[in-house]
Amino acid sequence: TLAGEALARMRDTVRSAARYRQLVTFLAAFFVFGMGVQVIIAFAAILAGDFGITGTGLVLFVLQITLTAGATAIATGFFQDNIGGKATVIIYLIVWMVSALALLAISLSASKPQWMFWVVGNGIGFGIGGIGTASRSLVGKFTPAHKTAEFFGLWGMVYKLAGVVGVLSFGQVKAWIPEPYGMPASLALLFGFFAVGLVMTLFVRETAGLRAARRAERETALSRATDPTDRA
């Protein structure tokens, strides 16, 4: 059946990816900090409402995040090759951690100043625009040319799964813990997603991952040269 064939191809893709240790390590880290990114995307408007930003202010807040994210995504392309994909991911994870801590601090404040939330909105925009571009670039470095469609499909699946788990976890923590502690607890969880993701990213060896991808490309090219029927 079509579903069975899809599952078989997914199984083969996962097995193939397992040969690339650095890619798997990064995808594991990406899953963890991706939960945090997906939480912000899903709950940004709700968080803004909790801090008193509604109506036109909410529209402008979302616009600010969108513009900042777009500008950051463009800017990231100009420097990530110079400092490395891993370093770029780490920089943006630090931005995310600072933003999450700032949200936590605001939620614990008695006055909950809106101007601080607007400032944090820029950090969120930087994080969304930068982490997506940097992560995509690092996955590309770890992916042999003949596995591009498969591995980027796997990357997309990991991101979607992170969205399901992250949003559910954040929402349940907020719902289970009585106010006024529900919001701070869920924001502490949000910080944890980025902190743990950062620690896991530190174990990624970018040079080794790049070498593995290039070695696989050479092996595939040699195999096709000696056996024209080989389409692996």
Side-chain angles (χ1 to χ4, degrees), residues 60-145:
L60 293 175
F61 179 75
V62 174
L63 179 62
Q64 170 188 267
I65 292 177
T66 303
L67 292 175
T68 305
T72 305
I74 295 172
T76 302
F78 289 103
F79 67 82
Q80 66 178 353
D81 288 339
N82 293 326
I83 68 173
K86 175 182 173 180
T88 306
V89 169
I90 289 173
I91 288 172
Y92 284 118
L93 285 176
I94 292 173
V95 171
W96 272 116
M97 290 168 61
V98 171
S99 299
L101 280 178
L103 288 175
L104 177 59
I106 297 171
S107 70
L108 293 173
S109 171
S111 60
K112 292 182 172 56
Q114 282 193 15
W115 69 267
M116 287 185 63
F117 192 76
W118 283 90
V119 172
V120 174
N122 284 310
I124 292 173
F126 280 124
I128 291 176
I131 201 69
T133 302
S135 297
R136 189 180 303 109
S137 174
L138 199 53
V139 170
K141 288 183 177 181
F142 293 165
T143 300

Side-chain angles (χ1 to χ4, degrees), residues 11-30:
R11 183 187 64 243
D12 292 342
T13 298
V14 172
R15 286 178 176 174
S16 179
R19 295 180 54 198
Y20 306 92
R21 182 177 300 177
Q22 304 312 313
L23 174 65
V24 172
T25 301
F26 178 67
L27 287 179
F30 178 75

